[in-house]
Amino acid sequence: MALIIGLTGGIASGKSTVASMFKDLGTKIVDVDKLGHSVILPHKPAWEKINRLFGKGILKNDFTIDREKLGRIVFTNQALLKKLNEITHPEIIKLINKEISLAKDKTHSQEKILIIDAALIYEAKMDGLMDKIIVVYINEDEQLKRLSKRDDLLKKEALQRIKSQMPMKEKVKIADYVIDNSNSLDETKKQVEKIWQSLVSC
């Protein structure tokens, strides 16, 4: 039976880089961001509800949701962000549960570890699905700098997105493992390898 590990952190903390390092060590990764994209594809139940809530102005010409436009709306309005999450999170959790069931089914899976790579594990109350949780940490100043640069956001916009998540310090307090991603990639990789060794020996 596979060990189910949640990998989380703050926005722009380098979680995807860490996930890639675990993947290189032979661990299967479920990218929840990709699952999130899949549940809002045209004419899926979540797409229908989002369309009704926000109107056709958030749709591109091919009827896909313009995620950038939607992001600009919800990150300046916490009530709308909450409604959006209430639509998408149940659909995403269904897909995560399928992946976990497959990983725990000995006839289908040989994996010893399955990592669920998800930014909102605590916020979406998914932590109960995990055996252990790893938090990727950077301080808020660095986070703000990286996010502004990565997504070409104004400082105010970047702060709104950071504040929409649980504070990083709170995540660190309740994590089973913490990876400090403030320094070099080599330093991060050493931490990843140490945790991986600990997990495979469980």
Side-chain angles (χ1 to χ4, degrees):
M1 188 185 289
L3 201 60
I4 310 302
I5 307 298
L7 176 66
T8 192
I11 189 169
S13 63
K15 187 173 54 60
S16 298
T17 300
V18 168
S20 179
M21 289 175 179
F22 276 111
K23 189 176 181 181
D24 289 344
L25 291 167
T27 310
K28 184 178 177 186
I29 309 289
V30 173
D31 184 341
V32 171
D33 208 24
K34 285 184 181 169
L35 297 185
H37 296 177
S38 73
V39 302
I40 62 167
L41 288 173
H43 311 298
K44 294 256 180 116
W47 179 91
E48 302 276 3
K49 290 175 184 174
I50 293 167
N51 196 6
R52 280 200 297 273
L53 180 61
F54 293 94
K56 291 185 166 44
I58 58 151
L59 298 182
K60 295 181 180 178
N61 291 337
D62 61 359
F63 298 106
T64 58
I65 288 169
D66 186 328
R67 292 171 58 249
E68 275 188 35
K69 192 179 281 188
L70 184 59
R72 283 195 297 272
I73 294 167
V74 297
F75 287 116
T76 57
N77 186 321
Q78 288 298 307
L80 285 176
L81 179 61
K82 185 172 182 283
K83 284 182 180 176
L84 177 64
N85 288 339
E86 284 168 356
I87 291 168
T88 57
H89 286 173
E91 298 297 323
I92 292 167
I93 288 168
K94 280 182 202 170
L95 297 178
I96 291 170
N97 276 322
K98 278 185 188 173
E99 293 284 354
I100 289 173
S101 295
L102 283 172
K104 290 193 169 184
D105 184 343
K106 287 181 182 174
T107 59
H108 286 96
S109 173
Q110 302 304 311
E111 278 117 20
K112 183 154 182 168
I113 298 167
L114 177 71
I115 288 184
I116 310 291
D117 170 9
L120 302 178
I121 283 176
Y122 292 119
E123 293 88 341
K125 298 183 170 48
M126 290 190 275
D127 46 313
L129 303 174
M130 319 296 171
D131 297 311
K132 301 278 182 188
I133 294 181
I134 302 166
V135 167
V136 181
Y137 169 83
I138 53 172
N139 68 55
E140 193 174 288
D141 287 343
E142 183 64 21
Q143 186 183 17
L144 185 58
K145 196 160 59 177
R146 290 186 190 183
L147 179 59
S148 300
K149 186 179 177 184
R150 188 191 76 183
D151 292 359
D152 193 23
L153 299 171
L154 298 172
K155 184 179 178 181
K156 182 185 171 188
E157 292 173 318
L159 269 172
Q160 283 169 338
R161 296 189 183 208
I162 290 169
K163 299 293 183 193
S164 74
Q165 298 184 346
M166 181 191 288
M168 194 93 82
K169 286 177 183 173
E170 284 184 31
K171 291 183 179 183
V172 164
K173 281 180 195 169
I174 52 179
D176 297 290
Y177 300 96
V178 177
I179 293 171
D180 185 345
N181 193 35
S182 306
N183 301 304
S184 68
L185 283 176
D186 279 347
E187 286 298 317
T188 300
K189 194 174 182 184
K190 281 177 194 168
Q191 295 172 75
V192 167
E193 287 170 349
K194 187 177 178 184
I195 292 171
W196 186 75
Q197 289 293 344
S198 169
L199 293 173
V200 293
S201 62
C202 282

